[in-house]
Amino acid sequence: QHLQHELGAPAKFARNVQSSMFDLNLQEYLDWIDDYEGFSRIQDNALIRRESIGVVGAITPWNWPLHQLALKMIPALLAGCTVILKPSEVTPLNAFLVTEAVQEANFPPGVFNMICGTGPETAEILATHPKVDMVSFTGSTAIGAKLHELGGASLKRVRTELGGKSASIILDDATEAQIRKMAGDILENSGQTCSALTRMLIPRGERQDEIIAIVKDVLESSRVVDATDPTARRNDIGPLSSASQLERVKKYISIGIEEGATLLTGGLEFPDSGNTNLDPHGYFVRPTAFVNVTNNMTIAREEIFGPVLSILSYETLEEAIRIANDTQFGLSNAVVGEDEDRCIRVAEQLRSGQVHINKTFGSLRTPFGGYKQSGDGREQGVYGLEEFLQIKAINLPPSSKRLK
């Protein structure tokens, strides 16, 4: 219910996706942590240890509050760190529930702590405090860059997972089901996801109109619903998280129209809710797609953080790869088509932390993080654990029994 009220997530999505992420991440780590051999091993004539980095300031975003909390809190604690959690002030209530559960579990005092405050001000305190050894931050590129600057004064470790402007490259042999999957990605969490595939690159020629029609059908089949609507389906979207987020998304839709992109579906009008009754003062926006977009347009370059898709056309695969890479971000991309080998050849040339082949997400054990201005951190699995560890070499004498 907190996810419905704070975030606007429809009931089924809040229960089956958002709220399940904490337990799923916890179970993933518990499944393999006892077998992890990286804490201590012999290499040459040395004992190589990975040790806790110390006190971690964990700053989490509002859009996936439990998932991001889990990706910082769980591996940091397993690494032996103490944690100071600073949840987003937009969606803090789930963090309160987790903190209460930690207290009831009788964690030693000081192992897990939570502080509240506005994002930039509180983050600056953590980044500059001499007793904080590391800051792990998920959020905007602007604040991430500031934290690197502040932490750099003391050479504090700062790891960031930031924004994205990810592309799905639709190859000429992509199936209708594959195209529908890519188009539907923009609906996930009402488009409020850093790795959302917000640019779709489609081949010019005989399939162009077909692909555009498929995208239009996917977005127009999605209903805009109240977060409490019990009939909401997986591809329906709820309200955006706040009034400021609604204004941001509407601003970008206006810019797209002003810069000459063609509105395929959606737009600025209040959503037609079908059989549901939407509060006219709610933060609702239509799933929106533009065609005739060029990669120098604002809607193709800046992160919108809402259900807005830009469709761009390409002549050759080389051009598609160039367009996909022509961005300040590098968080995620996708390639879809029947020829898997060709998809992989394209994926290998994309400058992003992950590339999905005929799907839109990876497992919870594969690394998640970006290139370029999408940040330098890695989350999930062993990669997420080792962000909170530092390496020590204990060089042993030849006679050491450890070497025998």
Side-chain angles (χ1 to χ4, degrees):
Q1 290 182 342
H2 289 312
L3 288 163
Q4 292 175 253
H5 297 153
E6 288 187 315
L7 184 59
K12 289 181 181 178
F13 183 76
R15 180 176 62 253
N16 298 335
V17 181
Q18 281 275 5
S19 64
S20 69
M21 296 308 298
F22 189 94
D23 288 343
L24 288 173
N25 280 292
L26 176 60
Q27 192 57 55
E28 283 288 346
Y29 273 104
L30 295 181
D31 281 348
W32 59 263
I33 190 65
D34 287 340
D35 298 322
Y36 176 66
E37 298 180 349
F39 288 119
S40 181
R41 63 185 178 87
I42 296 294
Q43 178 181 321
D44 298 326
N45 291 326
L47 174 62
I48 308 300
R49 288 178 50 83
R50 281 188 168 90
E51 301 178 343
S52 160
I53 196 166
V55 179
V56 173
I59 306 170
T60 57
W62 54 261
N63 59 324
W64 288 91
L66 283 172
H67 181 44
Q68 287 295 325
L69 192 160
L71 288 177
K72 299 183 189 306
M73 167 190 174
I74 295 168
L77 292 174
L78 290 173
C81 301
T82 57
V83 176
I84 305 170
L85 171 67
K86 207 302 282 185
S88 167
E89 64 273 22
V90 178
T91 54
L93 295 183
N94 289 280
F96 277 93
L97 293 178
V98 171
T99 303
E100 289 174 0
V102 168
Q103 186 174 17
E104 291 177 6
N106 293 319
F107 275 45
V111 170
F112 182 82
N113 316 270
M114 190 181 85
I115 58 175
C116 296
T118 56
E121 291 79 7
T122 314
E124 181 172 341
I125 293 171
L126 291 173
T128 56
H129 198 288
K131 292 187 177 181
V132 174
D133 299 291
M134 174 182 173
V135 172
S136 175
F137 170 77
T138 298
S140 73
T141 296
I143 295 179
K146 183 65 175 178
L147 291 175
H148 276 289
E149 177 187 341
L150 294 170
S154 61
L155 300 183
K156 189 189 308 291
R157 183 183 293 183
V158 176
R159 291 292 181 265
T160 54
E161 192 272 286
L162 308 173
K165 197 66 186 177
S166 306
S168 60
I169 298 179
I170 310 298
L171 302 184
D172 54 15
D173 61 345
T175 67
E176 178 178 343
Q178 291 167 345
I179 297 165
R180 285 183 174 275
K181 185 186 295 289
M182 295 301 110
D185 184 71
I186 196 65
L187 303 171
E188 182 91 345
N189 208 34
S190 300
Q192 300 170 126
T193 299
C194 54
S195 57
L197 299 166
T198 57
R199 294 182 297 157
M200 178 179 284
L201 280 51
I202 67 173
R204 287 192 180 93
E206 60 184 25
R207 296 203 64 194
Q208 181 168 316
D209 290 345
E210 173 201 353
I211 295 169
I212 290 172
I214 292 170
V215 173
K216 187 173 188 289
D217 182 65
V218 170
L219 268 59
E220 291 184 349
S221 67
S222 173
R223 296 182 306 155
V224 181
V225 300
D226 187 89
T228 60
D229 188 341
T231 70
R233 305 160 302 177
R234 177 62 189 268
N235 68 329
D236 293 336
I237 67 172
L240 300 180
S241 63
S242 64
S244 61
Q245 193 62 23
L246 176 63
E247 290 307 308
R248 174 187 175 91
V249 173
K250 291 172 69 175
K251 179 193 76 172
Y252 277 108
I253 294 174
S254 296
I255 290 172
I257 295 170
E258 292 166 4
E259 292 187 352
T262 303
L263 195 62
L264 175 67
T265 187
L268 294 169
E269 294 181 0
F270 194 79
D272 176 5
S273 58
N275 295 324
T276 66
N277 295 314
L278 298 182
D279 182 345
H281 303 292
Y283 310 141
F284 300 104
V285 66
R286 292 169 174 258
T288 297
F290 287 94
V291 294
N292 299 321
V293 179
T294 59
N295 210 44
N296 62 345
M297 291 182 177
T298 303
I299 58 172
R301 302 207 69 79
E302 297 184 10
E303 186 176 42
I304 299 173
F305 232 61
V308 181
L309 177 66
S310 296
I311 301 176
L312 302 89
S313 300
Y314 67 87
E315 292 283 357
T316 65
L317 272 182
E318 290 73 21
E319 183 185 13
I321 293 165
R322 179 185 60 76
I323 293 171
N325 287 335
D326 181 18
T327 172
Q328 64 179 321
F329 300 109
L331 186 54
S332 185
N333 286 296
V335 186
V336 296
E338 285 289 84
D339 185 340
E340 183 177 307
D341 289 338
R342 183 165 69 142
C343 289
I344 292 174
R345 288 196 298 272
V346 173
E348 289 172 341
Q349 299 176 70
L350 298 176
R351 290 187 51 74
S352 57
Q354 49 268 319
V355 182
H356 307 297
I357 305 296
N358 296 332
K359 59 191 296 188
T360 57
F361 57 89
S363 84
L364 293 176
R365 295 194 186 189
T366 55
F368 182 88
Y371 287 12
K372 299 185 280 187
Q373 292 188 36
S374 289
D376 62 348
R378 289 297 180 270
E379 297 177 323
Q380 301 184 162
V382 171
Y383 310 92
L385 175 73
E386 292 182 350
E387 292 281 40
F388 300 101
L389 299 170
Q390 52 192 349
I391 298 174
K392 174 189 290 183
I394 301 177
N395 296 297
L396 303 171
S399 59
S400 172
K401 62 181 181 181
R402 296 287 188 102
L403 301 177
K404 298 177 182 179

